[in-house]
Amino acid sequence: MNGPFALQMSRSQFAALTAELARRGDGRRESGAFLLSSTNVERPPGHKRTVVGFAFYDDLDPASLTGGITFGAIGYSALSAVCRAQDLCVVADIHTHPGSWVQQSAIDARHPMSAIPGHIAIIAPNYSQGSIRLRDLGLHVFHGDKTWESRYRNEVKEVLHLTGSYPFLRMAISALRSAFRAVHRSIKERGTLDVNARS
Ligand SMILES: [Zn+2]
């Protein structure tokens, strides 16, 4: 899906986001964040909204992680201050559920974190522990008037696009590089030793 609802973020952002949600939830409570996009980017019709940052619920409202999530007025004030100061706007939110269940609860569906049509509510399973893939998420597009359109499994990537290289690939490449450097160093050191031995 392109068009008004589609979002994009880099794979490394997505990996950082899901890891941070896991850390804040500590495997025993739900955690969440707003996904923010820049307001002063001209977006041609049909173009995806780019996620440029996150605002974690417990940074905005320190009392919000109660097992479930109770995000209060203090959090919304902090959120609008952040958005105003940095010319950002909320395009989506993400929160975690225990277990593999990524459908919205009745409370989730009745109380969108932003009531603007086109807002996207994402749910990550297992308190976001372990490696979370796009297909593990539930993605729910708000159409206003208590109406949501839900995407699961292969349909998630039609709305949320990940760009850039896979973080694990980058990690593997950087591990290879340091292995090469270590081999190179040891060859050089041995070379020096050999020269010394001959002199
Ligand atoms: Zn929920």
Side-chain angles (χ1 to χ4, degrees):
M1 185 203 267
N2 281 334
F5 307 123
L7 294 179
Q8 66 179 13
M9 71 169 98
S10 69
R11 285 179 205 286
S12 55
Q13 270 182 312
F14 180 75
L17 171 64
T18 51
E20 189 57 23
L21 289 172
R23 192 185 71 74
R24 289 169 189 252
D26 197 24
R28 60 191 170 83
R29 60 179 186 180
E30 296 184 9
S31 60
F34 291 99
L35 277 57
L36 308 173
S37 182
S38 184
T39 49
N40 41 14
V41 173
E42 269 303 306
R43 199 163 60 92
H47 199 267
K48 298 176 200 80
R49 297 173 292 180
T50 302
V51 175
V52 298
F54 315 119
F56 290 92
Y57 290 169
D58 50 322
D59 287 339
L60 301 167
D61 176 355
S64 61
L65 307 187
T66 53
I69 285 160
T70 315
F71 192 76
I74 187 178
Y76 279 105
S77 305
L79 174 66
S80 68
V82 167
C83 287
R84 255 198 323 273
Q86 300 182 44
D87 288 322
L88 299 172
C89 61
V90 172
V91 286
D93 67 75
I94 182 167
H95 76 280
T96 65
H97 276 177
S100 58
W101 168 69
V102 291
Q103 288 87 352
Q104 290 180 298
S105 69
I107 295 173
D108 292 339
R110 261 203 308 274
H111 303 283
M113 298 301 283
S114 161
I116 297 170
H119 178 76
I120 291 174
I122 301 166
I123 298 173
N126 303 320
Y127 293 127
S128 196
Q129 302 278 316
S131 102
I132 302 288
R133 303 161 301 176
L134 274 191
R135 55 180 293 108
D136 301 324
L137 305 174
L139 186 151
H140 313 277
V141 183
F142 185 60
H143 287 304
D145 194 24
K146 301 186 187 120
T147 314
W148 294 90
E149 178 192 344
S150 296
R151 305 287 180 121
Y152 302 103
R153 304 186 70 78
N154 277 336
E155 292 176 350
V156 173
K157 65 173 188 292
E158 294 169 10
V159 182
L160 177 57
H161 303 252
L162 297 187
T163 60
S165 60
Y166 289 86
F168 71 84
L169 208 63
R170 276 211 314 277
M171 266 149 34
I173 289 169
S174 100
L176 264 179
R177 273 208 196 104
S178 43
F180 275 129
R181 270 199 299 272
V183 168
H184 194 72
R185 250 198 323 272
S186 99
I187 289 171
K188 252 170 61 183
E189 276 159 16
R190 268 209 308 277
T192 311
L193 279 177
D194 287 344
V195 171
N196 287 344
R198 274 201 299 275
S199 63

